[in-house]
Amino acid sequence: MHSIFYYSSELARYDFGPDHPFKPERAQKTLELCYRYGVLDREHMTVKKPPALKREKLLLAHSEEYLDALRRVGKGEIFQEMFKFGIGSEDNPPLRGIYEWSRKCAGATWEGMTKIMDGDADIAFNPLGGYHHAYRSHAEGFCYINDLIIAIKEALTRNVRISYVDIDAHHGNAVQEEFSGENRVQFISMHESGKHIYPYTGFVEEAGEEGAHGYIVNIPLPPKTDDEIYLEVFHRIVVPLIKRFKPDILVAELGADSLVSDPLTDLMLTNNSYTQIVEELKRLCSNILATGGGGYDIYRTARCWTLAWAILNEVEPVDEFAGRVGGMMFGPEMEVSSLHDRPYTVKGAEKDKIRQEVDKTMDVLIKRHGL
Ligand SMILES: [Zn+2]
């Protein structure tokens, strides 16, 4: 077994600005926690610096004119045309260095995919990746370069079958659009319903175009969905669909913004369901390319990804400093000196309402797929 953890302190230091919720330093916090818990120093693991992706590879997901505009923005130019490409909004500010930063972040996901395909790695994790909202010719949702599309397209050149599983709280809209006519890619997204939250898409009816109908699987969830309901849907729908598809490689977008503490979303998960899901994904496919994604409570996001890395590598986190360093590494407000969150359950009439809505969604999928 060989696993690669992609990291560069230069990329983790990149700053979207004090008022922007996206904080690349989550990657640094994750790396530190992984070391502290002894899950990143094993012989079969490599920490590798992301390579800058060549233009030719960026073109797998983006248009020439978009890349030209992004490069100009990255050099510090501000011009009217950039708005046409979604650059210059509050979500996607015109950041100096964004082109270089993005192509390195994407380089890690791309290289992780090629290492897995070449048999040089079983597991690759890029906590600086997972930009599922970046479109061919426009930036949105904090995303500029779509590393996921680039990596999957690279895999398709070798005729590899990919299951893409997206557990970020937001719908993986741009990835879905790219592959909705492609039957070598199974796209599965579990997210807070587009009735309530950006990008306002990802309804169960969106199931793929002709020739690939059923290869797009959307599972929208009501606000306040908790671990119990989330896991139920995952086991009832997602697991059998992946088993049936039999992917060669599983791409997992592990956005951690579905956690109960996340300031931007309304799902109520703890990292207990996240870890169970990562465990199951690992059982379903031995080749996994995992990326970060959302996650705006940076300390809990780092805990979540540390656990994900440990599970993907089948190693047990051990805290040798417990009780001595206290909760400092977990953030000022952490209540426990453990990586695992306390359980959180929604109860009563509210839960019944959520269950009814989720049952309706599950019924559609069970019928459509004959599960
Ligand atoms: Zn998200």
Side-chain angles (χ1 to χ4, degrees):
M1 184 172 173
H2 181 223
S3 340
I4 306 170
F5 186 112
Y6 283 96
Y7 180 76
S8 131
S9 53
E10 171 211 338
L11 298 182
R13 272 198 307 270
Y14 191 68
D15 192 359
F16 276 56
D19 299 324
H20 201 288
F22 189 79
K23 308 284 182 203
E25 66 171 300
R26 303 168 304 166
Q28 184 207 332
K29 301 257 178 280
T30 306
L31 180 96
E32 286 169 2
L33 270 187
C34 281
Y35 278 127
R36 168 170 166 154
Y37 278 86
V39 294
L40 197 48
D41 51 6
R42 310 299 171 93
E43 239 170 61
H44 71 277
M45 299 172 180
T46 310
V47 178
K48 210 167 172 302
K49 216 172 153 183
L53 205 52
K54 291 199 178 100
R55 174 113 172 167
E56 148 206 357
K57 297 298 178 189
L58 297 173
L59 286 166
L60 288 169
H62 298 284
S63 64
E64 296 268 13
E65 47 171 7
Y66 173 71
L67 293 174
D68 289 343
L70 192 64
R71 188 162 54 186
R72 285 177 64 192
V73 166
K75 285 182 180 157
E77 283 186 53
I78 300 288
F79 48 101
Q80 187 57 34
E81 219 198 359
M82 71 184 189
F83 294 102
K84 188 179 107 188
F85 299 107
I87 306 163
S89 63
E90 215 168 275
D91 283 0
N92 290 75
L95 301 167
R96 187 178 277 275
I98 189 64
Y99 182 77
E100 289 304 317
W101 182 78
S102 298
R103 73 192 192 110
K104 285 179 186 162
C105 292
T109 309
W110 174 84
E111 193 189 270
M113 178 63 95
T114 58
K115 295 277 181 198
I116 293 174
M117 286 192 298
D118 292 342
D120 294 334
D122 312 286
I123 303 292
F125 177 44
N126 176 16
L128 289 154
Y131 304 100
H132 59 172
H133 302 308
Y135 280 88
R136 187 149 284 273
S137 288
H138 76 270
E140 62 172 66
F142 316 161
C143 304
Y144 296 83
I145 293 287
N146 201 313
D147 57 317
L148 299 156
I149 292 178
I150 293 169
I152 295 171
K153 285 228 157 174
E154 183 69 50
L156 292 181
T157 63
R158 301 203 209 168
N159 238 347
V160 169
R161 287 164 67 81
I162 302 285
S163 282
Y164 169 84
V165 180
D166 187 328
I167 60 168
D168 189 282
H170 301 94
H171 174 229
N173 55 351
V175 179
Q176 170 177 312
E177 181 173 292
E178 187 69 34
F179 298 112
S180 64
E182 175 58 74
N183 63 17
R184 292 172 297 167
V185 178
Q186 177 183 52
F187 168 97
I188 301 173
S189 181
M190 292 177 79
H191 47 264
E192 181 173 348
S193 169
K195 278 193 274 183
H196 305 278
I197 198 174
Y198 169 85
Y200 309 104
T201 51
F203 296 99
V204 70
E205 295 77 20
E206 297 163 35
E209 290 162 17
E210 230 183 280
H213 189 78
Y215 289 86
I216 298 289
V217 182
N218 278 302
I219 308 176
L221 299 158
K224 301 207 174 171
T225 295
D226 65 4
D227 285 339
E228 193 188 357
I229 291 186
Y230 197 85
L231 285 170
E232 212 176 292
V233 182
F234 183 79
H235 285 292
R236 185 75 183 86
I237 308 289
V238 180
V239 172
L241 286 178
I242 297 174
K243 272 188 185 160
R244 188 186 291 172
F245 186 75
K246 297 189 182 72
D248 301 302
I249 298 172
L250 196 147
V251 177
E253 206 274 20
L254 302 178
D257 46 4
S258 305
L259 296 176
V260 58
S261 61
D262 196 274
L264 300 194
T265 75
D266 314 293
L267 298 179
M268 298 289 184
L269 307 187
T270 72
N271 64 26
N272 299 301
S273 53
Y274 264 81
T275 48
Q276 285 189 47
I277 282 170
V278 177
E279 269 167 28
E280 193 60 55
L281 294 177
K282 167 91 183 164
R283 270 195 289 272
L284 289 164
C285 188
S286 52
N287 294 317
I288 297 187
L289 172 64
T291 71
Y296 307 101
D297 175 336
I298 63 169
Y299 291 100
R300 284 185 200 267
T301 298
R303 281 155 41 123
C304 208
W305 290 347
T306 299
L307 286 165
W309 172 256
I311 292 163
L312 290 173
N313 284 285
E314 298 173 31
V315 293
E316 199 60 48
V318 181
D319 187 3
E320 291 168 10
F321 303 101
R324 280 204 282 152
V325 189
M328 273 164 64
M329 305 256 319
F330 299 110
E333 80 292 3
M334 281 311 160
E335 72 281 8
V336 283
S337 62
S338 154
L339 287 174
H340 286 276
D341 292 336
R342 281 189 188 140
Y344 180 93
T345 332
V346 177
K347 290 195 178 86
E350 198 167 35
K351 177 82 160 254
D352 295 341
K353 229 182 113 213
I354 293 166
R355 192 178 288 284
Q356 276 172 16
E357 197 174 325
V358 172
D359 279 349
K360 267 194 235 159
T361 303
M362 285 209 287
D363 284 346
V364 174
L365 292 168
I366 287 165
K367 217 169 140 203
R368 180 185 298 152
H369 294 278
L371 297 172

